[in-house]
Amino acid sequence: MGWATDYFESTGTVASWWDPLNEADPHFREWMITQQTDLLAVTSPSGRIVLDAGCGRGRVAIQAALMGASVTAVDVSAEMLGHAEESADRMGARVKFQLADLHDLPFSDDTFDLVFHLEILLHLEDPEQVLAELGRVLKPHGTLVLTTNGQNPVSRLLHPGTQGSHAASRFRLFAATAVNEVMTSLFGFTWRRTRFTGGLYKRFFSAPVRPTYNNRVRAMLRRAGFEAVYHRPIPRHLPRQHHWIAVQSA
């Protein structure tokens, strides 16, 4: 598909730094636990057939399985799936983990009652194709739970900086987000319109990230056949991440 997919498939990339429950960044860990608790309470996965699409280290897949769901979890990173399997084994959760590209899912139509797609949309080569795939594998009236980074530069100033292996102050995150927004509008995702700007992107950013705003997400969901409802953010002021509950049309 391109550099973004290649990046997430490669070892030593995202799996080396993305750990939302890492105790090295206690504020982010607390925020993620709050988000996870909220989403699972809203969706009640017990007894449902669930797909975690882009499962990462498996935090939501594992908790849904422990709540009584039948869970399949996919990711494009074999290294990340290894971490998820270790966590599931340690916690006694029965999850079927599978290597897969979200742009072309290896499942039949109308397979799942509930799909989680958390913190992934902003990293994708073709988010509309992925949303269409998620809609395809959902049963009629199935539910997609999506969270995505709003990429509002101002909101970055209202949140603490990051800690851990990719530490950055809130002001540095604000500047990076603002520059990415401008350059993406001029040169496309990962600034790849020219070889020079694409090279600059890879030099300055550790992972592929696109600006993603509410109106664009809502429009993509509707084009993919979902009846989208904007769900509450956490926290409630200029949220950095947004929650969407999208119900597939019949």
Side-chain angles (χ1 to χ4, degrees):
M1 291 292 297
W3 178 61
T5 300
D6 291 344
Y7 172 86
F8 288 105
E9 285 180 333
S10 301
T11 59
T13 56
V14 64
S16 68
W17 59 267
W18 174 247
D19 183 358
L21 303 184
N22 191 333
E23 295 181 357
D25 193 341
H27 182 275
F28 190 62
R29 173 186 169 86
E30 180 183 0
W31 191 94
M32 278 291 182
I33 291 174
T34 301
Q35 179 209 65
Q36 175 176 300
T37 301
D38 177 69
L39 294 179
L40 290 170
V42 167
T43 55
S44 302
S46 178
R48 306 179 77 181
I49 302 172
V50 175
L51 173 67
D52 189 352
C55 67
R57 291 176 179 261
R59 62 188 178 97
V60 171
I62 291 168
Q63 291 302 318
L66 292 174
M67 293 174 70
S70 174
V71 182
T72 299
V74 300
D75 203 280
V76 75
S77 168
E79 187 177 13
M80 194 70 93
L81 286 174
H83 292 306
E85 289 174 342
E86 289 177 5
S87 296
D89 289 343
R90 185 172 63 253
M91 299 178 69
R94 298 184 63 182
V95 179
K96 179 184 178 182
F97 291 101
Q98 187 168 342
L99 190 68
D101 185 340
L102 300 183
H103 297 84
D104 185 19
L105 291 169
F107 306 114
S108 301
D109 297 357
D110 306 335
T111 298
F112 300 98
D113 302 309
L114 172 64
V115 171
F116 288 103
H117 185 62
L118 310 182
E119 319 304 325
I120 303 294
L121 193 73
L122 68 164
H123 298 299
L124 297 173
E125 296 278 357
D126 190 342
E128 298 220 23
Q129 181 179 339
V130 169
L131 290 178
E133 275 291 275
L134 298 182
R136 180 184 66 79
V137 302
L138 266 174
K139 296 178 181 179
H141 303 294
T143 303
L144 168 68
V145 181
L146 183 152
T147 64
T148 189
N149 192 318
Q151 288 297 291
N152 183 334
V154 175
S155 73
R156 290 291 190 178
L157 295 174
L158 300 178
H159 292 261
T162 59
Q163 301 177 33
S165 60
H166 277 57
S169 71
R170 67 181 70 194
F171 300 103
R172 181 177 178 183
L173 293 171
F174 161 78
T177 303
V179 169
N180 191 28
E181 182 172 355
V182 172
M183 292 293 285
T184 298
S185 68
L186 295 173
F187 297 103
F189 182 43
T190 67
W191 311 353
R192 62 188 175 193
R193 187 166 299 163
T194 73
R195 181 176 296 181
F196 175 73
T197 54
L200 280 179
Y201 190 96
K202 293 180 183 180
R203 179 179 178 86
F204 292 116
F205 287 86
S206 59
V209 180
R210 71 170 72 241
T212 308
Y213 283 96
N214 292 352
N215 58 345
R216 182 163 186 251
V217 175
R218 184 181 286 109
M220 287 193 294
L221 286 168
R222 287 175 176 166
R223 284 195 294 270
F226 292 96
E227 297 174 351
V229 177
Y230 182 56
H231 187 53
R232 64 185 180 278
I234 297 178
R236 296 176 185 272
H237 59 283
L238 286 176
R240 183 161 54 111
Q241 273 82 8
H242 303 291
H243 294 180
W244 298 84
I245 304 295
V247 179
Q248 187 186 32
S249 302

